Amino acid sequence: QVQLVESGGGLVQAGGSLRLSCVASESIFSIRPMGWYRQAPGKQRELVAAITSGGMTNYADSVKGRFTISTDNAKNTVYLQMNSLKPEDTAVYYCNARRSLSTYWGQGTQVTVSS
């Protein structure tokens, strides 16, 4: 059972930046892909960004050019750097990891962008 703990959320003004962190309870070498999802009130959870073991990344169209996903294998951590934040980025952000047939989720971290 992989445990994921997110941090870094908060309140920021439009145009600002935040960096989310997700620390895994074990080495992330075998836990791929890893990604970030978000869920706004009244909306379905959606993929924001993902990264494979080979370092390939995938982004939602709405965040391309503004968000960057990266990993630090030594720290068992995946990051989401969010720049030029918009009010529509407001949501609970969840870390996600997959290994074999299992999927793991963090508890979520709230990101609120004020206009």
Side-chain angles (χ1 to χ4, degrees), residues 65-107:
R66 300 188 298 122
F67 291 12
T68 303
I69 188 171
S70 63
T71 60
D72 185 334
N73 293 330
K75 296 182 178 180
N76 298 336
T77 301
V78 59
Y79 300 101
L80 185 68
Q81 178 66 44
M82 306 186 294
N83 299 327
S84 301
L85 283 161
K86 304 175 181 180
E88 50 264 44
D89 295 318
T90 295
V92 178
Y93 284 70
Y94 297 91
C95 182
N96 170 275
R98 298 181 188 178
R99 182 170 62 192
S100 299
L101 300 179
S102 299
T103 300
Y104 305 97
W105 293 93
Q107 81 287 352

Side-chain angles (χ1 to χ4, degrees), residues 9-56:
L11 174 64
V12 64
Q13 288 188 333
S17 298
L18 284 174
R19 188 177 79 158
L20 305 183
S21 300
C22 171
V23 181
S25 58
E26 57 186 82
S27 172
I28 63 174
F29 275 112
S30 64
I31 311 174
R32 299 296 176 94
M34 294 193 73
W36 289 93
Y37 286 70
R38 67 185 181 189
Q39 187 166 20
K43 295 188 177 181
Q44 289 189 329
R45 192 172 296 189
E46 62 175 358
L47 175 67
V48 176
I51 186 165
T52 69
S53 57
M56 293 183 62

